[in-house]
Amino acid sequence: SSKSRSAVYSSPPPSISTTTATTNNNGSPPSSTFPSSDIFDATTTLTNYDQSQQTYIQSDGSQGMGGGLSALNHIQSLDPTTRTSLQHAIKTLTRQAHSERAIDSSKGRIMLGICAANAPEALGGLKSWVAELSLPRGMLHGMDVDGIPIPVEELGSVYVKYSTGGAMTFSEMRKSGRGFDALWRPGDALLEMYDGDFRGVYFSVELGDGVFRQFGVLPTDLFMEEEEDW
């Protein structure tokens, strides 16, 4: 990274996906092989998870900014069976995205948005998700200003935005101060300051059926199995 301009995100963080559901003239999804039973089941599992989290947040008194602390309480209450079902659902959607991306590199985009109490926690989660899902690894931006590293202890809570591909918007490019160097390359990630209470991962996947799929917050340590340097 040649230059970083820190932006502080409030809670909840900004949407990591701009995908919108599309339909044809009769109101059905665009012509494709979707939805297969596996894709449907995986989407349903993650949708039900989101709904259960929202219900928990309300029953827990919506603690923290936007209910962020209650969302963390929900994550910490998950049993092993639920965590396994979440892993399976995410891997199923990711495999489909990989298949589409293999045919057309502009398709099958996957994005992660990670809210964490500190940079090591965020990067540890990012590394585990990227490794387990066989996602591309690119550059990490945002941990320096004009080439001078920012001490990790000075970062505080952070938000990491990761993408398997696709460009930043022009407004994001201007904000970064890096011009066309700010274009997202496969596996690039951007670390920003974050002042909210949510902790976890937002998972977004764009598939050929045009259905909007963004889920979270999911456990940061859902795929935490090994330690390695970014």
Side-chain angles (χ1 to χ4, degrees):
S1 174
S2 59
K3 187 174 182 179
S4 299
R5 294 185 180 179
S6 296
V8 179
Y9 291 116
S10 57
S11 178
S15 171
I16 61 173
S17 175
T18 56
T19 305
T20 56
T22 57
T23 59
N24 55 30
N25 291 335
N26 63 12
S28 61
S31 178
S32 69
T33 58
F34 292 90
S36 71
S37 60
D38 287 348
I39 298 301
F40 178 82
D41 289 346
T43 301
T44 299
T45 293
L46 290 166
T47 298
N48 289 342
Y49 169 81
D50 277 2
Q51 293 173 345
S52 69
Q53 186 169 88
Q54 290 304 312
T55 299
Y56 186 101
I57 288 173
Q58 294 302 316
S59 66
D60 195 46
S62 192
Q63 300 181 53
M65 188 183 302
L69 295 181
S70 290
L72 179 59
N73 290 338
H74 172 257
I75 288 174
Q76 294 173 339
S77 73
L78 299 177
D79 57 45
T81 299
T82 299
R83 289 174 63 93
T84 298
S85 68
L86 292 175
Q87 292 172 348
H88 178 74
I90 292 168
K91 288 181 178 180
T92 297
L93 296 180
T94 299
R95 281 195 297 270
Q96 179 60 38
H98 286 332
S99 296
E100 295 184 11
R101 186 174 176 82
I103 298 173
D104 183 342
S105 62
S106 68
K107 306 298 183 182
R109 182 165 66 158
I110 293 173
M111 288 171 285
L112 305 175
I114 303 177
C115 307
N118 53 65
E121 178 183 320
L123 298 180
L126 176 62
K127 288 185 289 186
S128 65
W129 279 65
V130 166
E132 188 67 22
L133 300 179
S134 299
L135 301 177
R137 291 172 57 161
M139 297 293 293
L140 175 64
H141 305 283
M143 294 190 69
D144 65 88
V145 175
D146 295 329
I148 301 175
I150 303 173
V152 172
E153 61 272 14
E154 293 182 11
L155 290 173
S157 300
V158 298
Y159 177 75
V160 176
K161 182 177 180 179
Y162 166 93
S163 176
T164 59
M168 281 185 172
T169 64
F170 282 109
S171 61
E172 288 176 321
M173 287 170 58
R174 286 194 296 269
K175 181 179 179 182
S176 73
R178 294 187 287 120
F180 284 100
D181 286 338
L183 288 174
W184 284 82
R185 295 175 175 82
D188 276 2
L190 177 66
L191 184 147
E192 304 274 9
M193 295 172 64
Y194 169 65
D195 68 353
D197 289 329
F198 281 87
R199 300 290 183 264
V201 179
Y202 289 89
F203 171 73
S204 174
V205 57
E206 299 174 0
L207 300 181
D209 57 359
V211 172
F212 178 79
R213 292 183 176 89
Q214 179 173 304
F215 309 101
V217 287
L218 294 150
T220 303
D221 64 354
L222 188 61
F223 299 110
M224 197 74 77
E225 295 181 353
E226 59 184 73
E227 296 292 334
E228 59 179 292
D229 293 332
W230 175 259

